[in-house]
């Protein structure tokens, strides 16, 4: 049985490589089990992550019949996205170095095998399966390559120097023996099948340039406090999740990794969420990455342009709006967690909070001195015009619930944020125009309503929605966005209530999913793990409300949740000590960066 479809499945066993247009997950056994080509949201040619070996993978490891051959150790080269995986065997030690160099035209996966000690026999097993493991390509030899073709996809594989390669069991196999200092490099290149083969990449030059490029980028980080390695690793991960041609940042490079093993909460996260926008911009600006911040801001402006009433919660990496949700029944799912989904039906939801996120992001960009686009204020005015008439509507909320619309308190708080940022912009900039009096009235009215209908005075806490008793970790953002000051008793009461009701061994769930109740707010059966971004929000809230020692202790625990190469998934099961959800998750790494900057940083955005 494939280790990923049985009881031994572990999301944290993976590391990430990528070229800022797509990414691959490499397991501790030396197998690339997930890779979508040519973009993050393209069909996967390696989908073992969500199935078995027959759904596509590429393993390079010492020959070890009948053994999974888990590596002895692995690590990224410092301040890079270049991964070294090493095995100690009775015959010696061998290293596999994995990377995806910055592409000029076509995407490449480079895998360099090097003998470190003794003489070790290594085997490469490649099974290409296009369209998420559903299409087996036709394989042929051409000009020293193995060439796989099916429909629009073509993949070329070569080694330097050439090694013995043969076809067997619907796969392509190579085997060779390396002594100390000897190397064999494999290069896998994708291109559209109707086009000519792209220019060959020198694997050793690609390695040298990739290491240099990543280290130069990492040196730009302005943060120099505790856990700098974790902060830089998180920033590198965010850079790797960026679609370089547009500046969009995907939430994760994967789909359908479960929020509960064996459950149905399996979603496609290979898109760009507006909810992440302010946190993303703030982290990039404060850490010293102005160019990346501007690219993200520009992506945001292009994506949201159009009818303000049709603002979406997420978009494709180039701003695409249609992301139809479908299920892939031939894939059993990670650890049997089905269904496997592509696309995301939540794209059609109404979430009023995104209007606040966009207005807050653009206000932050203006305050930080990013170049102002001529149409930026016109877009913001249009968003405010829509909110003036639509803000009272119930919505699906930040968490994209599928159990019906409600008057979510966080959504209303973010409406207040939109009005507040619009008012402040007009008050500070005489050259802009807008209905200042109306926006001030809106800001005051929303504030009064939230405090009257979204606050439970008996428990001294804000609630998830008007009139409900449920809580929501998103309410921790109330002091961060400025809705109320951190020392307000209602804020402190909310923080304490959320810790008590949603806490799980010190970490936080998003809300109470009531594992045995199918009528809960999100409309889905089964529970989920602790949400790491919310746990980082608690760090921030504890710090703001005057509890820095508790904030730092929780931050230390969260940093330790990262796997051996510093990566975080969406969620965590504190009891089983397992990562859950799509991986690696931008929202979690944003939380780590922003908390480090809040707790230990000395410079602010702008």
């Amino acid at each position: 049985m494939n280790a990923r479809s049985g009881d031994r499945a572990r999301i944290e066993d993976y590391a990430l490589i990528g070229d800022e247009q797509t990414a691959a997950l490499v397991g501790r056994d030396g197998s690339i089990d997930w890779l979508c080509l040519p973009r993050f949201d393209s069909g996967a040619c390696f989908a073992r992550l969500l199935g078995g070996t027959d759904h596509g993978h590429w393993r390079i490891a010492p020959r070890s019949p009948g053994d999974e051959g888990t590596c002895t150790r692995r690590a990224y080269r410092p301040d890079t996205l270049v991964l070294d995986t090493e095995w100690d065997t009775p015959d010696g030690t061998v290293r596999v170095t994995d990377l995806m160099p910055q592409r000029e035209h076509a995407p490449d996966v480079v895998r360099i095998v090097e003998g470190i000690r003794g003489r070790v026999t290594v085997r490469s097993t490649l099974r290409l399966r296009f369209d998420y493991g559903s299409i087996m390509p036709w394989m042929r030899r051409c000009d020293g390559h193995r060439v796989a073709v099916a429909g629009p996809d073509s993949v070329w594989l070569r080694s330097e120097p050439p090694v013995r390669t043969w076809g067997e069991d619907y796969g392509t196999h190579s085997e060779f023996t390396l002594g100390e200092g000897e190397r064999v490099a494999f290069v896998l290149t994708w291109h559209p099948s109707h086009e000519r083969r792209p220019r060959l990449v020198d694997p050793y030059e690609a390695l040298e340039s990739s290491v240099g490029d990543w280290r130069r980028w990492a040196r730009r980080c302005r943060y120099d406090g505790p856990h700098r390695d974790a902060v830089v690793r998180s920033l590198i991960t965010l850079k790797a999740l960026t679609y370089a041609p547009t500046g969009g940042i995907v939430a994760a490079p994967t789909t359908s990794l479960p929020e509960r093993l064996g459950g149905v909460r399996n979603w496609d996260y290979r898109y760009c969420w507006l909810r992440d926008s302010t946190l993303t911009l703030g982290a990039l600006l404060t850490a010293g990455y102005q160019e990346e911040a501007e690219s993200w801001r520009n992506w945001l402006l292009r994506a949201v342009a159009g009818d303000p009433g049709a603002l979406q919660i997420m978009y494709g990496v180039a701003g695409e709006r249609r992301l139809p949700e479908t299920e892939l029944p031939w894939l059993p799912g990670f650890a049997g967690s089905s269904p496997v989904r592509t696309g995301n039906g939540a794209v059609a939801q109404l979430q009023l909070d995104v209007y606040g996120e966009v207005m807050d992001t653009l206000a932050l960009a203006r305050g930080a001195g990013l170049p102002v686009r001529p149409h930026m204020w016109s877009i913001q005015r249009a968003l405010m015009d829509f909110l003036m008439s639509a803000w009272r509507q119930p919505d699906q909320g930040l968490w994209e619930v599928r159990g019906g619309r409600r008057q979510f308190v966080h959504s209303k708080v973010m409406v207040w944020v939109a009005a507040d940022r619009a008012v402040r912009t007009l008050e500070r900039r005489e050259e802009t125009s807008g209905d200042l009096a109306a926006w001030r009235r809106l800001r005051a009215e929303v504030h009064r309503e939230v405090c009257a209908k979204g606050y439970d005075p008996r428990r001294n806490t804000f609630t998830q929605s008007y009139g409900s008793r449920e809580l929501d970790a998103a309410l921790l953002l109330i002091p961060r966005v400025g809705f109320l000051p951190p020392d307000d008793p209602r804020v402190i009461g909310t923080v304490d209530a959320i810790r008590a009701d949603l806490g799980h061994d010190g970490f936080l769930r998003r809300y109470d999913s009531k594992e045995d109740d199918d009528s809960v707010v999100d409309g889905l059966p089964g529970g989920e793990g602790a949400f790491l971004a919310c746990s980082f929000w608690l760090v921030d809230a504890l710090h703001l409300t005057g509890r820095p020692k508790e904030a730092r202790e929780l931050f230390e625990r969260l940093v330790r949740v990262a796997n051996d190469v510093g990566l975080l998934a969406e969620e965590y099961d504190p009891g089983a000590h397992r990562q859950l959800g799509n991986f690696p998750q931008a929202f979690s790494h944003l939380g780590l960066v922003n908390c480090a900057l809040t707790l230990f940083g000395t410079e602010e955005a702008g």
Side-chain angles (χ1 to χ4, degrees), residues 521-549:
V521 65
D522 61 20
L524 296 167
E528 61 180 24
F531 203 81
L532 291 176
C534 295
S535 301
F536 281 114
W537 293 348
L538 178 57
V539 171
D540 188 62
L542 290 170
H543 178 78
L544 288 173
T545 54
R547 290 171 274 190
K549 182 175 184 294

Coordinates of all heavy atoms in Angstrom, one line a residue, residues 521-549:
V521 N -23.0 25.8 11.7 CA -23.0 27.0 10.8 C -22.4 26.7 9.4 O -22.8 27.3 8.4 CB -22.3 28.2 11.5 CG1 -20.8 27.8 11.7 CG2 -22.4 29.5 10.7
D522 N -21.4 25.8 9.4 CA -20.7 25.6 8.1 C -21.4 24.6 7.2 O -21.0 24.4 6.1 CB -19.2 25.3 8.3 CG -19.0 24.0 9.0 OD1 -19.9 23.2 9.1 OD2 -17.9 23.9 9.5
G523 N -22.5 23.9 7.8 CA -23.2 23.0 6.9 C -22.5 21.7 6.6 O -23.0 21.0 5.7
L524 N -21.4 21.4 7.3 CA -20.7 20.2 7.0 C -20.5 19.3 8.2 O -20.4 19.8 9.3 CB -19.2 20.6 6.5 CG -19.2 21.5 5.2 CD1 -17.8 22.1 5.1 CD2 -19.5 20.6 4.0
P525 N -20.5 18.0 7.9 CA -20.3 17.1 9.0 C -18.9 17.0 9.4 O -18.0 17.3 8.7 CB -20.8 15.7 8.4 CG -20.5 15.8 7.0 CD -20.7 17.3 6.6
G526 N -18.6 16.5 10.7 CA -17.3 16.3 11.1 C -16.6 17.5 11.6 O -16.9 18.6 11.2
G527 N -15.6 17.3 12.4 CA -14.8 18.5 12.9 C -13.6 18.7 12.1 O -13.4 18.2 11.0
E528 N -12.7 19.6 12.7 CA -11.4 19.9 12.0 C -10.4 20.2 13.1 O -10.7 20.3 14.2 CB -11.6 21.1 11.1 CG -12.1 22.4 11.8 CD -12.3 23.6 10.8 OE1 -12.5 23.3 9.6 OE2 -12.2 24.7 11.3
G529 N -9.2 20.4 12.6 CA -8.1 20.7 13.6 C -8.1 22.2 14.0 O -8.9 23.0 13.6
A530 N -7.1 22.5 14.8 CA -6.9 23.9 15.2 C -6.3 24.6 14.0 O -5.5 24.1 13.3 CB -5.9 23.9 16.4
F531 N -6.8 25.8 13.8 CA -6.5 26.7 12.7 C -5.3 27.5 13.0 O -5.3 28.3 13.9 CB -7.7 27.5 12.3 CG -7.7 28.0 10.9 CD1 -8.1 27.1 9.9 CD2 -7.2 29.3 10.5 CE1 -8.1 27.6 8.5 CE2 -7.3 29.7 9.2 CZ -7.7 28.8 8.2
L532 N -4.2 27.3 12.3 CA -2.9 27.9 12.8 C -2.9 29.4 12.6 O -2.4 30.1 13.5 CB -1.8 27.3 12.0 CG -1.4 25.9 12.3 CD1 -0.3 25.3 11.4 CD2 -1.0 25.7 13.8
A533 N -3.6 30.0 11.6 CA -3.6 31.4 11.4 C -4.4 32.0 12.6 O -4.0 33.1 13.1 CB -4.3 31.8 10.1
C534 N -5.4 31.4 13.1 CA -6.2 31.9 14.2 C -5.3 31.9 15.5 O -5.4 32.7 16.3 CB -7.5 31.1 14.4 SG -8.6 31.2 13.1
S535 N -4.5 30.8 15.6 CA -3.7 30.7 16.8 C -2.6 31.9 16.8 O -2.3 32.4 17.8 CB -3.0 29.4 16.8 OG -3.9 28.3 16.8
F536 N -2.1 32.2 15.6 CA -1.2 33.4 15.5 C -2.0 34.7 15.8 O -1.4 35.6 16.4 CB -0.6 33.4 14.1 CG 0.5 32.5 13.9 CD1 0.4 31.4 13.0 CD2 1.7 32.6 14.6 CE1 1.5 30.6 12.8 CE2 2.8 31.8 14.4 CZ 2.7 30.7 13.5
W537 N -3.3 34.8 15.4 CA -4.1 35.9 15.8 C -4.2 36.0 17.3 O -4.2 37.2 17.8 CB -5.5 35.8 15.2 CG -5.5 35.9 13.7 CD1 -4.5 36.3 12.8 CD2 -6.6 35.6 12.8 NE1 -4.9 36.2 11.5 CE2 -6.2 35.9 11.5 CE3 -7.9 35.2 13.1 CZ2 -7.0 35.7 10.4 CZ3 -8.8 35.0 12.0 CH2 -8.3 35.2 10.7
L538 N -4.3 34.9 18.0 CA -4.3 35.0 19.4 C -3.0 35.5 20.0 O -3.1 36.2 21.0 CB -4.6 33.6 20.0 CG -4.7 33.4 21.5 CD1 -5.7 34.4 22.1 CD2 -5.0 32.0 21.9
V539 N -1.9 35.1 19.4 CA -0.6 35.7 19.8 C -0.7 37.2 19.7 O -0.3 37.9 20.7 CB 0.5 35.2 19.0 CG1 1.8 35.9 19.3 CG2 0.7 33.7 19.2
D540 N -1.2 37.7 18.6 CA -1.2 39.1 18.4 C -2.2 39.8 19.4 O -1.9 40.8 20.0 CB -1.7 39.4 17.0 CG -1.6 40.9 16.6 OD1 -0.5 41.4 16.6 OD2 -2.7 41.4 16.3
A541 N -3.4 39.2 19.6 CA -4.3 39.7 20.6 C -3.8 39.7 22.0 O -4.0 40.7 22.7 CB -5.6 38.9 20.5
L542 N -3.1 38.7 22.4 CA -2.5 38.7 23.7 C -1.5 39.8 23.9 O -1.4 40.4 24.9 CB -1.9 37.3 24.0 CG -2.9 36.1 24.2 CD1 -2.1 34.8 24.2 CD2 -3.7 36.3 25.4
H543 N -0.7 40.0 22.9 CA 0.3 41.0 22.9 C -0.4 42.4 23.0 O 0.0 43.2 23.9 CB 1.2 41.0 21.7 CG 2.2 42.0 21.6 ND1 3.4 42.0 22.3 CD2 2.2 43.2 20.9 CE1 4.1 43.1 22.1 NE2 3.4 43.8 21.2
L544 N -1.4 42.6 22.2 CA -2.1 43.9 22.2 C -2.8 44.2 23.5 O -2.9 45.4 23.9 CB -3.1 44.0 21.0 CG -2.5 44.1 19.6 CD1 -3.6 44.0 18.6 CD2 -1.7 45.4 19.5
T545 N -3.3 43.2 24.1 CA -4.1 43.4 25.4 C -3.2 43.3 26.6 O -3.7 43.1 27.7 CB -5.2 42.3 25.5 OG1 -4.7 41.0 25.3 CG2 -6.3 42.6 24.4
G546 N -1.9 43.4 26.5 CA -1.0 43.6 27.6 C -0.5 42.3 28.3 O -0.2 42.3 29.4
R547 N -0.5 41.2 27.5 CA 0.0 39.9 28.0 C 1.1 39.4 27.1 O 1.0 38.3 26.5 CB -1.2 38.9 28.1 CG -2.2 39.3 29.1 CD -3.5 38.5 29.1 NE -4.4 39.0 28.1 CZ -5.7 38.6 28.0 NH1 -6.1 37.6 28.8 NH2 -6.5 39.1 27.1
P548 N 2.2 40.1 27.1 CA 3.3 39.8 26.2 C 4.0 38.4 26.5 O 4.4 37.7 25.6 CB 4.3 40.9 26.4 CG 4.0 41.5 27.7 CD 2.5 41.4 27.9
K549 N 4.0 38.0 27.8 CA 4.7 36.8 28.2 C 3.9 35.6 27.6 O 4.4 34.7 27.0 CB 4.8 36.7 29.7 CG 5.5 35.4 30.2 CD 5.7 35.4 31.7 CE 6.4 34.2 32.1 NZ 5.7 32.9 31.9

